[in-house]
Amino acid sequence: MNLLDAIGKTRHFNEDESVFQIGQPATHIFQVITGEVHLYRHSGEGQRVLLFRAYADDYFAEASLNSAIYHCTAVSKTPSSIRFFNADEVRVLLQENSQFAMAWITRLSTELRRQRASVERLNLKAAADRVIHYLLTEGQPMGEVTLTGTLSELSEILGMSRETLYRTLALMQKNGLIERIGNKLRIK
């Protein structure tokens, strides 16, 4: 992915600053260097629907390589440093450099597995099952996660209310299934 460095430019975004808006021409793909970016749409009822949280080293708006417009809105949720790459230049790299194309496919495949695990997790009924699944699929080493956000943000990721998450974590700790040490959450 070093070839991207040669065509990338970096810009700082303030908290709650828009990176792009739904319907704007899709001219770039992006990579978070530091900070956090949320991609979202609004439902028919006007409710904000979170599609993706991008953290350090995550790419976003990759679908813009095959689209004339952005199909969601991206907002910097914390002060963030974001690298952006001209979509036309990335397409040229993909067409002309097979090594780069394979590295790009590998990165997208990893992200696809991560998203599939998220869908699988949201289909689990029990809150405790969702917590265990999250720790097993997202934990490094397996079964341990260092929380970078708040428990409220984790509850959103797990598709449950904050209150349900707080009660579930407390019960799981009481039953010896997990332990919380500072911002670390792990299976015992």
Side-chain angles (χ1 to χ4, degrees), residues 2 14 29 32 37 39 50-51 56-57 79-80 82 85 99 113-114 119-120 123 128 139 144 147 167 171 183:
N2 293 343
N14 296 316
I29 62 168
V32 177
V37 174
L39 278 66
L50 181 67
L51 302 174
D57 204 35
S80 300
I82 299 172
F85 310 94
Q99 189 174 0
R113 279 191 297 278
R114 195 168 125 200
V119 169
E120 178 182 42
N123 282 313
E144 178 178 307
L147 300 174
R167 281 194 308 272
L171 185 60
N183 65 342

Side-chain angles (χ1 to χ4, degrees), residues 1-4 90 93-94 97-105:
M1 301 300 249
N2 293 343
L3 293 173
L4 279 179
V90 174
L93 278 175
L94 287 166
N97 188 309
S98 61
Q99 189 174 0
F100 173 79
M102 286 308 298
W104 188 252
I105 290 169

Side-chain angles (χ1 to χ4, degrees), residues 121-135:
R121 182 170 41 255
L122 291 174
N123 282 313
L124 297 173
K125 299 288 185 229
D129 290 343
R130 289 184 185 188
V131 170
I132 294 296
H133 186 278
Y134 180 76
L135 294 173

Side-chain angles (χ1 to χ4, degrees), residues 153-167:
E153 291 170 333
L154 179 59
S155 72
E156 189 176 337
I157 291 168
L158 296 176
M160 62 182 76
S161 71
R162 289 182 313 216
E163 295 77 15
T164 299
L165 178 61
Y166 297 155
R167 281 194 308 272

Side-chain angles (χ1 to χ4, degrees), residues 135 140-141 144-147 179-186:
L135 294 173
Q140 298 298 327
E144 178 178 307
V145 171
T146 300
L147 300 174
E179 62 182 347
R180 287 176 57 190
I181 301 170
N183 65 342
K184 290 190 187 300
L185 189 60
R186 71 173 147 229

